[in-house]
């Protein structure tokens, strides 16, 4: 038994595999990310997201991350684009990968408002690229230093990316196994009719059964696509499904580069000979000889441990919401980093109040003074945003009005997936005195409508 | 593999043909895609928006005539006539203020006609300099609030106001400014009504669906924006709700003509009217068509009841708003609270039930 496990481990982790899938991944990922960074700048989002706000919501543990001024943020995005190009070209590859990872992660850490699951995915993939020898073939680094050329890499270099993508899909599918998605076709029943004016297909989107078809197919697709991609007989059809599925979601929803990221990344599931065939058109010479990227024997144990830990974290993190009572879609406790994509249509409004404990004077807060409309929209539906904002308000009223320990309360209502609104937060709780911890926030009113 | 997919598709098709709840409504159609939106938009355009705009254009033209008469022969009599026209035009403005989309939005009608509180210093600077432009929507030196000051604020008595226009140091400046402000109101109003009459009505009616930019989304968003401004600017800020209870009587809408409370009442009534489509098809009927309920009650009724409560409380306020914020602060606060209670219905429930996004909260980048 133990021997058999060892054998499987050897097959999945250490066995040499041809490098071509990794090369394709590097080139497409680099190209897409460079395009993404440039697009971000051209859309004017640097000004919008970093220049306009005066207050930024932070990730827990990263409150210290400063936001640069607009020219500074432009420099960050330029560096990001350069890092991505270096990845694509395989030129000073590790430098490029580190540069991209750091600039991208920094940009994400500046404002939690802009959190997107696919940004998190990009961050993880680029973290992996730092460690993967994806530049050891068909790269400018190898052109500079031919002795770097390798034809084979340890299998984990490719399997890890497959595992990462499979986890994204699978958990996105698991997140859809809930009554709103399956029995009420929410939120697709709200989102699809918005496209009823599209030419040709438009009429379809107003059909009442279509959201159900999309919901059920979407859940089935997400849950099983990794397996169809792994299984050789179904792979071509499965990849066709990947292209159609992501193209469709790309047309229907405002999800930026995500469809392209998935369409290009899932090519990793194809065997090396397919990649070699495609890359040959670009001048890639399939190798007859074998230069295996060697891992020192002493590092093997560390690699096993790290891979095991990483996978464990990735597999458990999306399940942490089970540690909290109530619906994760409502409380958002354990919501992020869990591949819960497209399952929520939330609409809320929150009015904050400041009270001076010394005089009893009370004031409503005009949040427009501090927040952009988009930040305010996120604030209204995410409890940890409210805590951060409440603390900010306490400091602000200390500074401007000399009020010590102002009580900050909120009158807030949220409507989830087409339900009527209901009160979201206990209106009597002083948010500025509530701790931002991992514990359940008992001042979130539970969702009462089925 | 092909067989598996095919079987799955077949299973779905079979299962889906019977997706209806006990009332026979399609479960997958929470957005009432089968509702005749064109009928609703026709009703809103022909029973509310166009008649109110036409009335407003008539009032504004009359305001122009009275202004000319006053400028030709300034006297307490012509001033009195002008003041009458001014107050009826300003009240009528409240009845068209909610329609800030399409033609109105493209000429910044609301910002141009009714930014308040007036920046008196900016106005005086303009008059002294003898030059101005009203094309910047974020200045506070024009529109009805400027007239409020010019017709009531240049002197304590009608005689004093007439004197400011005839013998005062800035008489010619004030005359020119009065003329320019009224002309600007007239030009923009005429342009908006013309656009509605020549083409926009038709495209408004046929612009169906629930996506951003459709007429339903325009109605819901403009209704919300108007209501929020009404609550905050007309009552909230003067009452000090944003300033720790320290009142701001000088920030009322009409500090000189003392029309503030009447304007607020007219604004609220106009919001309700917009919601109900007057006596014909309106958003309330669409809600009822969808059986939209909250806490077991009809959402349309809840919204109407809340309008009524807020109206009652506004009616309870005594006298001038700028005095009442201090002298009758309990009533003002209560009125504000009732206005505030409606926000959740209009801003959260209405869009959720009708499947439209609040588009003045725009997503600046991608989502997922």
């Amino acid at each position: 038994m133990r021997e058999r496990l060892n054998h499987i481990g050897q097959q999945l982790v250490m066995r040499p595999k041809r490098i071509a899938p990794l090369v394709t991944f590097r080139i497409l990922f680099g190209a897409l990310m460079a395009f993404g960074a440039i697009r971000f700048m051209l859309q004017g989002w640097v000004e919008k997201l970093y220049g306009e706000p005066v207050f930024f919501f932070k990730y827990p543990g990263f409150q210290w991350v400063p936001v640069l001024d607009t020219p500074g943020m432009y420099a960050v995005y330029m560096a990001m684009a350069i890092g991505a190009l270096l990845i694509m070209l395989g030129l000073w590859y590790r430098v490029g990968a580190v540069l991209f990872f750091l600039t991208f992660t920094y940009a994400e850490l500046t404002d939690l408002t802009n959190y997107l699951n696919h940004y998190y995915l990009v961050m993880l993939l680029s973290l992996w690229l730092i460690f993967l020898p994806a530049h050891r073939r068909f790269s400018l680094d190898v052109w500079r230093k031919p002795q770097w050329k390798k034809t084979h890499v340890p299998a984990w270099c490719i399997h890890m990316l497959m595992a990462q993508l499979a986890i994204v899909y699978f958990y996105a599918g698991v997140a859809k196994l809930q009554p709103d998605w399956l029995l009420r076709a929410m939120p697709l029943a709200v989102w699809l009719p918005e496209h009823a004016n599209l030419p040709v297909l438009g009429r379809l989107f107003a059909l009442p059964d279509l959201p159900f078809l999309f919901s059920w197919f979407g859940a089935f697709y997400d849950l099983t696509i990794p397996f169809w991609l792994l299984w050789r007989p179904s792979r071509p059809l499965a990849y066709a499904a990947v292209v159609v599925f992501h193209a469709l979601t790309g047309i229907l929803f405002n999800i930026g580069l995500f469809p392209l990221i998935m369409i290009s990344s899932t090519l990793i599931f194809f065997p090396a000979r397919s990649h070699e065939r495609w890359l040959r058109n670009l001048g890639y010479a399939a190798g007859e000889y074998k230069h295996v990227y060697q891992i020192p024997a002493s590092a093997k144990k560390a690699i096993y441990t790290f891979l095991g830990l990483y996978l464990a974290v990735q597999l458990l993190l999306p399940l942490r919401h089970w540690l909290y009572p109530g619906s994760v879609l409502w409380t958002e406790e354990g919501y992020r980093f869990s591949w819960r994509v497209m399952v929520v249509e939330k609409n809320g409004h929150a009015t904050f109040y400041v009270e001076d404990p010394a005089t009893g004077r009370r004031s409503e807060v005009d949040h427009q003074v501090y927040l952009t409309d988009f930040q305010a929209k996120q604030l209204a539906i995410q409890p940890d945003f409210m805590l951060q904002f409440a603390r900010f308000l306490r400091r602000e009223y200390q500074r401007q009005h000399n009020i010590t320990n102002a009580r900050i309360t909120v009158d807030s209502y949220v409507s989830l997936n087409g339900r009527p609104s209901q009160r979201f937060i206990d209106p009597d709780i002083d948010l500025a005195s509530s701790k931002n911890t991992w514990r359940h926030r008992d001042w979130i009113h539970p969702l009462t409508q089925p | 593999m092909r067989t598996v997919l095919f079987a799955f598709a077949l299973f779905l098709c079979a299962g889906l043909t019977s997706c209806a709840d006990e009332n026979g409504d399609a479960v997958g159609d929470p957005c009432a895609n089968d509702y005749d939106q064109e009928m609703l938009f026709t009703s809103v355009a022909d029973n509310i928006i166009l008649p109110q705009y036409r009335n407003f254009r008539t009032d504004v033209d009359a305001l122009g005539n009275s202004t000319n008469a006053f400028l030709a022969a300034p006297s307490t009599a012509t001033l009195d006539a002008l003041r009458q026209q001014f107050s009826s035009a300003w009240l009528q403005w409240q009845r068209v203020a909610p329609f800030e989309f399409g033609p109105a939005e493209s000429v910044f009608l609301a910002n141009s006609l009714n930014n308040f509180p007036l920046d008196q210093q900016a106005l005086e600077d303009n008059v002294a300099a003898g030059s101005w432009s009203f094309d910047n929507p974020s200045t506070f030196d024009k529109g009805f609030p400027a007239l409020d000051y010019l017709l009531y604020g240049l002197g304590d008595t009608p005689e004093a106001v007439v004197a400011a226009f005839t013998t005062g140091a800035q008489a010619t400046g004030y005359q020119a400014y009065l003329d320019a402000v009224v002309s600007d109101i007239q030009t923009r109003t005429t342009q908006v009504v013309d656009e509605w009459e020549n083409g926009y009505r038709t495209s408004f009616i046929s612009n169906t669906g629930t996506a951003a930019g459709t007429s339903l989304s325009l109605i819901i968003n403009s209704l919300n924006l108007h209501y929020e401004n009404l609550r905050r600017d007309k009552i909230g800020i003067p009452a000090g709700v944003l300033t720790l209870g320290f009142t701001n009587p000088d920030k009322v809408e009409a500090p000189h003509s003392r029309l503030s409370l009447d304007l607020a009442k007219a604004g609220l009534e106009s919001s309700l009217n917009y919601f109900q489509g007057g006596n014909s098809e309106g958003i309330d009927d669409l809600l009822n068509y969808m059986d939209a309920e909250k806490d077991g009650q009809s959402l349309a009724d809840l919204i109407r009841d809340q309008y009524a409560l807020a109206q009652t409380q506004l009616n309870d306020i005594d006298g001038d708003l700028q005095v009442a914020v201090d002298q009758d602060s309990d009533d003002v606060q209560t009125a504000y609270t009732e206005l505030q209670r409606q926000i959740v219905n209009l801003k959260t429930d209405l869009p959720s039930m009708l499947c439209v996004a609040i588009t003045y909260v725009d997503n600046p980048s991608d989502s997922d």
Side-chain angles (χ1 to χ4, degrees):
Chain A
M1 183 65 194
R2 193 185 158 81
E3 219 164 81
R4 191 164 162 73
L5 275 179
N6 267 339
H7 177 70
I8 293 176
Q10 178 66 22
Q11 283 290 310
L12 286 176
V13 181
M14 289 304 172
R15 175 173 56 96
K17 282 190 97 174
R18 277 184 283 171
I19 196 174
L22 200 52
V23 171
T24 311
F25 183 85
R26 182 200 87 213
I27 294 172
L28 290 179
F29 185 82
L32 261 179
M33 291 306 117
F35 171 69
I38 292 166
R39 168 175 176 260
F40 198 95
M41 289 186 273
L42 292 180
Q43 298 269 22
W45 289 344
V46 174
E47 281 95 347
K48 252 204 153 99
L49 298 184
Y50 308 110
E52 284 178 15
V54 291
F55 174 77
F56 295 89
F57 294 96
K58 296 297 188 194
Y59 286 79
F62 291 92
Q63 285 84 351
W64 51 272
V65 175
V67 182
L68 301 177
D69 57 5
T70 307
M73 291 310 291
Y74 265 108
V76 169
Y77 273 83
M78 301 275 207
M80 196 189 297
I82 290 169
L85 286 175
L86 294 181
I87 291 175
M88 180 189 84
L89 298 171
L91 174 65
W92 303 306
Y93 166 79
R94 306 267 184 198
V95 175
V98 169
L99 182 64
F100 180 82
F101 171 76
L102 289 180
T103 48
F104 189 89
T105 306
Y106 166 71
E108 292 322 300
L109 289 178
T110 50
D111 194 351
L112 182 53
T113 314
N114 306 321
Y115 171 82
L116 290 182
N117 284 294
H118 72 261
Y119 289 162
Y120 171 51
L121 175 64
V122 166
M123 200 199 83
L124 294 177
L125 291 176
S126 64
L127 177 64
W128 275 110
L129 280 182
I130 295 176
F131 301 101
L132 298 178
H135 62 313
R136 290 308 193 95
R137 189 148 192 205
F138 203 52
S139 70
L140 290 179
D141 280 338
V142 168
W143 178 72
R144 285 191 307 136
K145 304 200 170 172
Q147 71 274 23
W148 279 10
K149 180 168 170 177
K150 299 289 177 204
T151 59
H152 290 67
V153 293
W156 66 265
C157 296
I158 290 163
H159 290 160
M160 206 53 226
L161 293 174
M162 289 183 183
Q164 182 68 67
L165 294 171
I167 286 170
V168 173
Y169 274 124
F170 185 73
Y171 277 114
V174 170
K176 293 179 170 68
L177 300 180
Q178 30 93 6
D180 277 13
W181 184 270
L182 296 173
L183 303 181
R184 299 172 60 226
M186 289 298 266
L188 288 183
V190 172
W191 291 343
L192 290 180
E194 291 182 3
H195 301 280
N197 295 333
L198 279 182
V200 195
L201 285 178
R203 298 181 67 93
L204 275 179
F205 292 119
L207 292 178
D209 286 345
L210 194 77
F212 279 97
L213 194 72
F214 273 45
S215 290
W216 282 70
F217 178 77
F220 175 77
Y221 169 89
D222 280 342
L223 280 170
T224 62
I225 195 71
F227 305 105
W228 302 128
L229 284 168
L230 279 169
W231 192 36
R232 197 177 55 81
S234 59
R235 192 174 296 131
L237 193 63
Y239 189 70
V242 167
V243 173
V244 171
F245 178 85
H246 287 297
L248 198 59
T249 55
I251 293 167
L252 292 179
F253 309 118
N254 178 30
I255 50 180
L257 292 186
F258 182 64
L260 288 174
I261 294 171
M262 295 314 271
I263 287 174
S264 58
S265 300
T266 42
L267 287 172
I268 196 92
F269 286 93
F270 282 87
R273 64 178 158 356
S274 307
H275 287 269
E276 284 161 2
R277 203 167 55 237
W278 305 324
L279 290 172
R280 198 174 298 143
N281 298 323
L282 299 172
Y284 185 95
E288 315 73 30
Y289 51 92
K290 198 168 173 180
H291 278 298
V292 181
Y293 186 84
Q294 295 294 349
I295 302 263
S298 57
K300 282 188 182 171
K301 195 163 184 184
I303 287 177
Y304 272 110
T305 314
F306 180 75
L307 295 180
L309 275 176
Y310 183 87
L311 281 179
V313 169
Q314 283 293 312
L315 287 170
L316 291 175
L317 206 56
L319 301 177
R320 71 188 187 284
H321 70 97
W322 282 342
L323 301 175
Y324 297 101
S327 160
V328 59
L329 302 184
W330 176 253
T331 65
E332 304 226 353
E333 292 179 311
Y335 189 90
R336 294 181 202 113
F337 315 115
S338 308
W339 316 116
R340 237 169 236 106
V341 286
M342 313 216 75
V343 290
V344 160
E345 167 72 15
K346 258 188 187 177
N347 184 2
H349 103 90
T351 313
F352 282 79
Y353 294 93
V354 178
E355 194 186 313
D356 182 350
T359 63
R361 278 191 177 271
R362 193 163 181 265
S363 194
E364 189 181 314
V365 176
D366 188 2
H367 60 63
Q368 288 179 3
V369 177
Y370 308 108
L371 304 175
T372 64
D373 287 344
F374 183 58
Q375 287 177 314
K377 180 181 173 170
Q378 298 296 326
L379 169 69
I381 57 178
Q382 300 187 50
D384 61 335
F385 279 50
M386 296 188 182
L387 288 180
Q388 292 192 34
F389 189 56
R391 280 191 203 166
F392 165 76
L393 286 178
R394 178 177 275 183
R395 283 197 305 274
E396 196 64 11
Y397 274 76
Q398 173 80 57
R399 193 172 65 80
Q400 285 191 4
H401 303 278
N402 211 15
I403 296 176
T404 306
N405 286 331
R407 269 175 58 82
I408 311 288
T409 55
V410 68
D411 192 29
S412 74
Y413 297 86
V414 170
S415 155
L416 170 67
N417 284 342
R419 291 176 180 79
S421 67
Q422 69 161 76
R423 192 178 276 286
F424 188 39
I425 302 294
D426 180 349
D428 299 320
I429 195 84
D430 177 10
L431 292 169
S433 300
S434 305
K435 292 219 159 51
N436 195 0
T437 68
W438 300 109
R439 281 166 182 274
H440 168 57
R441 302 183 173 114
D442 53 9
W443 37 265
I444 301 175
H445 281 211
L447 179 65
T448 54
Q449 297 127 349
Chain B
M1 171 61 205
R2 276 162 225 265
T3 341
V4 173
L5 270 186
F6 183 70
F8 181 73
L10 208 65
F11 155 76
L12 275 181
C13 296
L16 288 173
T17 44
S18 54
C19 284
D21 65 14
E22 63 271 24
N23 301 326
D25 300 328
V27 176
D29 186 24
C31 306
N33 298 311
D34 55 343
Y35 175 77
D36 185 359
Q37 286 193 349
E38 294 202 0
M39 181 224 1
L40 170 67
F41 301 152
T42 309
S43 164
V44 170
D46 292 349
N47 297 312
I48 303 289
I49 297 181
L50 273 164
Q52 296 292 6
Y53 265 143
R54 289 190 183 117
N55 287 344
F56 183 54
R57 182 175 53 190
T58 309
D59 279 332
V60 163
D61 286 343
L63 176 67
N65 293 335
S66 311
T67 304
N68 291 340
F70 171 70
L71 289 175
S75 71
T76 51
T78 51
L79 176 67
D80 189 52
L82 173 54
R83 282 177 168 186
Q84 304 247 345
Q85 276 311 325
F86 160 72
S87 78
S88 62
W90 204 359
L91 281 165
Q92 182 60 26
W93 158 251
Q94 307 297 330
R95 301 186 200 286
V96 299
F99 318 139
E100 192 72 4
F101 58 86
E105 194 180 19
S106 65
V107 300
F108 307 109
L109 196 65
N111 289 121
S112 303
L113 267 53
N114 209 32
N115 271 355
F116 70 89
L118 177 78
D119 184 346
Q120 194 174 313
Q121 190 57 50
L123 184 149
E124 290 292 359
D125 289 348
N126 288 344
V127 170
S131 77
W132 49 79
S133 161
F134 298 142
D135 287 331
N136 179 352
S138 49
T139 62
F140 286 69
D141 56 3
K142 55 187 182 277
F144 289 107
L147 297 182
D148 177 68
Y149 171 66
L150 292 172
L151 302 185
Y152 291 85
L154 291 181
D156 289 337
T157 61
E159 290 76 15
V161 173
V162 171
F165 278 97
T166 47
T167 55
Q170 294 287 2
T172 51
Y174 285 137
Q175 287 183 18
Y177 205 77
L178 171 64
D179 188 44
V181 169
V182 172
S183 300
D184 188 63
I185 294 175
Q186 271 186 291
T187 313
R188 288 177 204 269
T189 304
T190 310
Q191 191 178 333
V192 171
V193 186
D194 280 355
E195 264 189 68
W196 266 96
E197 287 177 335
N198 299 302
Y200 191 77
R201 175 188 171 277
T202 315
S203 61
F204 174 76
I205 288 171
S206 61
N207 187 6
T208 57
T210 54
T214 57
S215 294
L216 186 61
S217 148
L218 295 176
I219 293 174
I220 301 304
N221 279 291
S222 56
L223 179 74
N224 263 289
L225 200 55
H226 173 259
Y227 191 89
E228 288 225 44
N229 290 342
L230 183 153
R231 170 191 68 116
R232 188 190 59 216
D233 299 342
K234 289 190 203 295
I235 307 291
I237 289 175
V241 296
L242 295 173
T243 44
L244 290 161
F246 295 103
T247 58
N248 304 288
D250 53 323
K251 292 190 174 168
V252 294
E253 190 169 8
H256 303 289
S257 62
R258 313 221 151 212
L259 286 168
S260 305
L261 199 53
D262 291 334
L263 297 174
K265 288 174 186 169
L268 188 60
E269 193 191 316
S270 130
S271 178
L272 168 63
N273 211 29
Y274 192 27
F275 169 71
Q276 311 196 103
N279 298 320
S280 34
E281 193 81 3
I283 296 296
D284 58 338
D285 299 294
L286 172 54
L287 286 175
N288 287 334
Y289 178 86
M290 304 172 91
D291 295 321
E293 286 193 348
K294 180 165 135 177
D295 307 328
Q297 281 193 68
S298 145
L299 182 60
D301 288 349
L302 278 174
I303 292 178
R304 255 195 303 265
D305 292 351
Q306 192 56 45
Y307 270 116
L309 276 173
Q311 283 180 316
T312 309
Q313 293 306 326
L314 274 187
N315 288 333
D316 274 358
I317 297 173
D318 294 323
D320 295 336
L321 189 60
Q322 69 236 63
V323 177
V325 290
D326 291 312
Q327 303 293 318
D328 188 18
S329 65
D330 286 352
D331 277 338
V332 176
Q333 290 294 337
T334 316
Y336 180 80
T337 305
E338 295 301 346
L339 285 170
Q340 163 80 10
R341 285 203 176 122
Q342 182 80 293
I343 297 280
V344 59
N345 298 332
L346 295 185
K347 198 177 170 189
T348 307
D349 288 303
L350 200 51
S352 293
M353 294 294 161
L354 301 178
C355 305
V356 300
I358 289 287
T359 50
Y360 62 87
V361 181
D362 198 13
N363 189 343
S365 66
D366 301 324
S367 48
D368 72 8

